[in-house]
Amino acid sequence: MIISSLAIAITLIISAIVMMISFILSKKTITDREKNTPFECGFDPKGSARLPFSLRFFLIAVIFLIFDVEITLLLPLATILKLVNVFSWLFVGVFFILILLLGLYHEWNQGALDWAD
């Protein structure tokens, strides 16, 4: 009990010291007006720095991200094949892929995958 509370106290002290050192070292001591202004070839910016982007591109990127994460969830199925019952492994794998295919069909049906109008 004493050892664990001592370890917690040491951990908190070390983390507080590291946070204080980083706070002290990260301060900018010299503030220059020219360095704080936006830089665009020596001239003041004329337009907005934020450009609009296609919402369809964003939707495709989100769908890709979702299916990419699902692939990482499918990879452990191959490694546990020898450790579990084959029928339960097959059921879980087919059920998971079926859910993915139903989601893909839904996205396709809603028109989220149609790039051109």
Side-chain angles (χ1 to χ4, degrees), residues 6-112:
L6 181 65
I8 291 172
I10 290 173
T11 304
L12 288 175
I13 290 171
I14 290 174
S15 62
I17 290 172
V18 169
M19 285 175 28
M20 283 190 285
I21 290 173
S22 68
F23 181 74
I24 291 170
L25 293 178
S26 69
K27 286 290 185 185
K28 291 183 179 180
T29 56
I30 301 172
T31 55
D32 189 9
R33 184 177 151 260
E34 291 298 322
K35 286 185 179 179
N36 290 333
T37 60
F39 178 74
E40 187 177 323
C41 301
F43 300 106
D44 289 333
K46 294 182 179 182
S48 175
R50 298 184 182 261
L51 298 175
F53 61 94
S54 173
L55 186 61
R56 291 200 179 269
F57 176 75
F58 177 73
L59 288 174
I60 294 292
V62 168
I63 291 170
F64 171 75
L65 182 67
I66 290 170
F67 282 102
D68 194 39
V69 169
E70 301 301 333
I71 293 295
T72 60
L73 293 175
L74 277 174
L75 284 176
L77 279 177
T79 59
I80 65 168
L81 177 61
K82 294 181 181 178
L83 302 174
V84 295
N85 185 5
V86 175
F87 295 114
S88 64
W89 178 85
L90 187 62
F91 177 73
V92 168
V94 168
F95 186 69
F96 194 72
I97 291 174
L98 182 67
I99 290 174
L100 284 178
L101 288 176
L102 286 174
L104 180 63
Y105 175 72
H106 178 68
E107 293 293 332
W108 191 359
N109 196 19
Q110 293 294 320

